[in-house]
Amino acid sequence: MEILKNEFLKQTGVTLNITAVPYDQLQQQATLDVQSGNNQYDVIDYWYTSVGALATEGTILDITDRIDAHKGDINPDDFIPGVRDTYTLVNGRYYGLPYDRDTHVLFYNKEIFDRHGLKAPSTWDEYFEAAKVITEAEKANGIYGAIIMGFKAPIILGGAYVNRLAGFGGSLIVDGKANLASEEAIAAAVELNRAAPHCLPTPSEVAFEQGLPAFLSGKGAMIEFWTDMGIYAQDPKGSKIIDKWEVVQLPRGGKAKKSLAALNAGFAWAIPAGSKNPDLAFDFIRWAVTPQICEKLLLTTGTGIDPIRKSNLESAAFGNFAPKVKRAIEESIGNDLAWPTIPQSPELMQSLCDELSVMLAGQKTPEQAMGDAQTTWERIIG
């Protein structure tokens, strides 16, 4: 955000006052600001799964006409296919502009794999066997076969589950109805549950703040993570695994014939309904998604930003900066599983996360957890 603040000031003379909000409180904070009448924000960023809720409850503005009026500047066709509509479209109208596309892929430590004669897993069975073999052989030295981020937050534990659901070819919702009792949905929960004992302890206490440094220090042989992990892994300031890692698409399982990437995060800019200066707010967000600003963020280690525009992904500058990451992103395009964005989505994903957490604690079987999640989803969706 400091990059945006400094660049916007330099180019426009306008000072941004930035308020940091924890990622799991973005929606609640934005809603409370509007509903309470405080209206302290002119721009918010939101996790795309909350766009339906934010738009339906009137927290953010419909900016379709503004986008149409500046289509030449914004160049919507340059956004990576599928992202723009998934992140911002509600009932045929646009409520934001995307700035960060985040899929999970599988990173692995080549040095550890080579010690055990293993190859990158292409199936969840191979993933399980590799995690088991490495953990049993090296846990006494503090090295584990895998790192599962199982902290009870939808963007964390929900992501670990959706990775497996995508691998088994499942979907969270089909034709507007909950699909958590499907064969694929249960298989994904079973897979998550059986791998947990062979991972960095304890998965329920591991979010990305713990998972990232563990992998970068060589304590884990595999981690499912957002593609920007590849940037951190080559940074000498925090990585002990420079040039010792590789990245592949997520494994597949069951009857699935191909790997899918899980669109586990991703963020967009929006204008709150209570903005005191919506014109200037829109000027900022259309500036913030220009290829020039996006590239500046992409080429700066530590921003955590992944390409949102085709022109940035295809640029020589990004290819030279992060060649493995570029390849992984290109392979995931068109093969990704997005989370639902209906108004009930935040509540749905929190309830699923609650059930998965209970399962990892050993208090329910995968079948029980998914059965109870299905019942809750049916009640919420109606």
Side-chain angles (χ1 to χ4, degrees):
M1 292 301 292
E2 285 301 313
I3 293 174
L4 294 179
K5 181 177 180 178
N6 295 334
E7 286 295 319
F8 199 58
L9 176 62
K10 186 165 63 177
Q11 296 185 25
T12 68
V14 175
T15 298
L16 300 176
N17 296 312
I18 299 168
T19 301
V21 176
Y23 58 83
D24 58 348
Q25 298 176 26
L26 288 172
Q27 182 197 350
Q28 297 90 331
Q29 191 78 6
T31 301
L32 180 62
D33 183 59
V34 172
Q35 292 183 351
S36 67
N38 284 340
N39 298 326
Q40 62 176 316
Y41 306 126
D42 287 308
V43 174
I44 63 166
D45 74 322
Y46 65 86
W47 181 19
Y48 80 89
T49 61
S50 63
V51 65
L54 291 168
T56 303
E57 68 193 16
T59 298
I60 56 177
L61 296 178
D62 175 352
I63 59 171
T64 307
D65 295 339
R66 291 177 183 272
I67 294 173
D68 287 342
H70 294 275
K71 192 168 286 186
D73 297 337
I74 295 170
N75 190 10
D77 292 339
D78 189 36
F79 289 116
I80 290 174
V83 172
R84 182 193 176 204
D85 287 0
T86 299
Y87 282 24
T88 66
L89 188 65
V90 179
N91 296 326
R93 305 291 291 180
Y94 290 101
Y95 285 82
L97 285 173
Y99 71 88
D100 183 24
R101 176 185 184 268
D102 270 331
T103 57
H104 267 190
V105 287
L106 182 67
F107 291 86
Y108 69 97
N109 185 311
K110 291 188 298 182
E111 189 174 57
I112 298 176
F113 266 59
D114 288 346
R115 283 204 296 267
H116 298 275
L118 297 168
K119 62 181 181 65
S122 60
T123 68
W124 284 110
D125 279 338
E126 292 176 357
Y127 169 95
F128 172 78
E129 290 300 330
K132 186 170 182 287
V133 165
I134 294 169
T135 296
E136 289 180 352
E138 302 209 35
K139 66 179 180 181
N141 298 322
I143 297 173
Y144 295 85
I147 299 168
I148 287 181
M149 296 190 294
F151 182 75
K152 197 174 77 168
I155 200 170
I156 303 297
L157 179 52
Y161 173 75
V162 174
N163 288 344
R164 287 151 181 82
L165 181 65
F168 279 87
S171 298
L172 294 165
I173 290 179
V174 174
D175 296 330
K177 297 182 179 179
N179 195 42
L180 301 182
S182 67
E183 176 184 346
E184 295 83 4
I186 294 173
V190 169
E191 200 60 48
L192 178 62
N193 198 48
R194 80 160 173 158
H198 306 289
C199 296
L200 177 78
T202 303
S204 61
E205 298 175 359
V206 177
F208 61 74
E209 296 93 338
Q210 294 77 34
L212 176 65
F215 185 74
L216 296 182
S217 63
K219 294 181 179 177
M222 296 182 284
I223 188 170
E224 306 138 50
F225 210 87
W226 296 279
T227 48
D228 54 273
M229 165 68 88
I231 310 297
Y232 293 108
Q234 289 299 99
D235 182 4
K237 292 181 180 177
S239 175
K240 296 181 180 178
I241 59 168
I242 293 174
D243 294 333
K244 296 178 181 178
W245 59 277
E246 221 358 303
V247 57
V248 294
Q249 298 301 300
L250 293 172
R252 57 185 168 76
K255 301 173 185 175
K257 301 298 183 185
K258 63 178 181 180
S259 299
L260 292 179
L263 201 58
N264 286 341
F267 296 88
W269 301 111
I271 304 174
S275 170
K276 297 181 177 69
N277 197 337
D279 292 338
L280 182 57
F282 186 73
D283 286 345
F284 167 73
I285 65 174
R286 70 187 175 91
W287 169 86
V289 301
T290 57
Q292 295 78 14
I293 295 301
C294 289
E295 181 167 282
K296 192 171 189 64
L297 296 173
L298 280 177
L299 302 184
T300 303
T301 300
T303 62
I305 297 295
D306 295 292
I308 197 75
R309 287 186 176 275
K310 291 183 290 186
S311 59
N312 293 137
L313 177 61
E314 295 165 356
S315 74
F318 184 64
N320 292 330
F321 180 66
K324 293 180 184 177
V325 172
K326 179 178 187 290
R327 187 197 70 224
I329 294 172
E330 289 174 336
E331 290 176 355
S332 73
I333 293 175
N335 292 308
D336 49 33
L337 176 64
W339 294 26
T341 58
I342 60 176
Q344 303 95 327
S345 180
E347 185 180 3
L348 295 174
M349 296 309 297
Q350 184 60 61
S351 67
L352 173 59
C353 182
D354 292 343
E355 291 294 342
L356 292 170
S357 182
V358 170
M359 176 193 76
L360 289 179
Q363 297 170 7
K364 288 185 181 181
T365 66
E367 292 79 6
Q368 290 171 330
M370 297 313 296
D372 290 346
Q374 171 76 12
T375 300
T376 303
W377 278 38
E378 290 174 350
R379 176 180 56 76
I380 295 173
I381 294 174

